[in-house]
Amino acid sequence: MPLVRFTLLAIPLIELAGLILLGQRIGVGMTLLWVLASGILGVAVIQSQGWTMLQRLQARMAQDSSPFGVLKSGMWGVLAGILLVFPGVLTDAAALVCLLLAWRYRGQLQPGDPGGPGVWRQGDHDVIEGEWKQGKEEQIDRDKPADRE
């Protein structure tokens, strides 16, 4: 618990120090422009990611496909927007990482999607196709798709 408190106190102080150093390097006006532009960009990212995620989620649900890829990609995008809204250099760098992760997960196939990892029902368990195996291998009826509940 003390580590969380320390982190919550340290992040704004690190951001403030970063903005002061940035102001010394590029000037106060450019630093204020940086903070304003990143805040506006953050709001725009939140709005676009939110609506895009909602539309793609509705399309996936209409196709009876897995919504997890859309949710994963959208979550990283919204988190990037939130980080961009907060002024600072550290949060802007973390937002860039989040945007890259959102872009990476954007079109990734999920289990059960056509062309994605296969899913089968074996007894009372759903089996997702993969490389990892434990114990002895049992025969799986690959022609029988998993039941969706």
Side-chain angles (χ1 to χ4, degrees):
M1 192 65 161
L3 181 63
V4 173
R5 290 181 188 158
F6 178 72
T7 304
L8 289 176
L9 180 64
I11 289 176
L13 295 176
I14 292 170
E15 293 290 1
L16 182 61
L19 287 174
I20 290 171
L21 291 174
L22 185 66
Q24 289 174 348
R25 291 275 185 192
I26 64 173
V28 174
M30 292 300 290
T31 303
L32 291 176
L33 184 63
W34 173 284
V35 170
L36 183 64
S38 70
I40 291 171
L41 181 65
V43 170
V45 166
I46 291 171
Q47 286 179 343
S48 71
Q49 283 291 323
W51 285 113
T52 304
M53 181 177 64
L54 183 62
Q55 291 171 347
R56 289 186 343 187
L57 190 61
Q58 287 175 344
R60 291 283 229 161
M61 297 299 277
Q63 296 170 355
D64 199 27
S65 296
S66 172
F68 297 118
V70 174
L71 292 173
K72 189 186 297 184
S73 164
M75 173 202 63
W76 285 116
V78 170
L79 181 61
I82 291 170
L83 288 172
L84 281 170
V85 168
F86 290 113
V89 180
L90 184 66
T91 53
D92 289 350
L96 180 63
V97 172
C98 290
L99 281 174
L100 291 174
L101 287 172
W103 182 63
R104 178 178 181 251
Y105 289 122
R106 188 168 181 99
Q108 197 172 44
L109 295 172
Q110 297 298 313
D113 288 346
V119 179
W120 298 278
R121 168 80 59 191
Q122 182 177 10
D124 293 335
H125 305 287
D126 287 335
V127 178
I128 300 174
E129 185 179 77
E131 298 294 323
W132 183 77
K133 296 179 186 174
Q134 178 181 8
K136 64 179 184 176
E137 184 176 335
E138 297 181 24
Q139 291 290 61
I140 298 172
D141 185 11
R142 296 185 185 274
D143 295 327
K144 181 180 175 188
D147 297 325
R148 293 190 182 191
E149 299 171 14

